[in-house]
Amino acid sequence: MDRVELADMLDDQTTACEPARAALLDGGDFVVWDGSVPSQELAGIYAARLRRARKRGTETLVLPSTVDILTRLEAAQVRVGCVFSPDRTWAFMLFLADDASAVLACTGVRRAER
């Protein structure tokens, strides 16, 4: 999958899609991993990440909505991708259809300064 193809799939699934698309088109690194994961497993993982982010005060974009979307997908298999802002301050997690034909959800997490 190339950069433009992925950017074209980032519509209005969540409000994190617009900044993810901008990061992608501005030259941010990206990856879509091979294989898929059950959406329910991802919903549990990202619900835990949401709790940790809230506890630590980490800034996120629509993480609760993304968890809801993953939960509603039930047993669907999902591919996972990530886009980093060019300055690496944000990581945008992408959740795609099993065949990578569509983005189902997108969330952003501000990365901790090192």
Side-chain angles (χ1 to χ4, degrees):
M1 173 174 310
D2 69 27
R3 182 177 302 277
V4 173
E5 183 181 14
L6 183 55
D8 287 345
M9 286 193 271
L10 287 164
D11 292 325
D12 59 359
Q13 295 88 346
T14 69
T15 56
C17 289
E18 184 178 333
R21 183 183 323 102
L24 191 58
L25 295 176
D26 286 345
D29 293 330
F30 75 99
V31 63
V32 175
W33 288 284
D34 291 331
S36 57
V37 180
S39 61
Q40 293 302 297
E41 186 175 329
L42 289 169
I45 290 167
Y46 281 85
R49 289 183 180 184
L50 174 59
R51 288 189 297 274
R52 282 194 305 274
R54 285 180 172 160
K55 183 177 179 180
R56 295 176 179 162
T58 303
E59 186 177 358
T60 66
L61 295 175
V62 296
L63 186 50
S65 298
T66 299
V67 170
D68 290 344
I69 291 168
L70 292 169
T71 300
R72 287 192 313 261
L73 289 174
E74 298 176 2
Q77 294 289 312
V78 177
R79 291 195 51 189
V80 180
C82 186
V83 174
F84 293 99
S85 62
D87 64 2
R88 308 285 281 188
T89 57
W90 282 90
F92 299 95
M93 297 305 299
L94 312 177
F95 303 94
L96 298 93
D98 190 28
D99 63 358
S101 63
V103 173
L104 306 172
C106 174
T107 188
V109 177
R110 182 178 291 275
R111 300 184 71 200
E113 293 185 31
R114 299 180 193 248

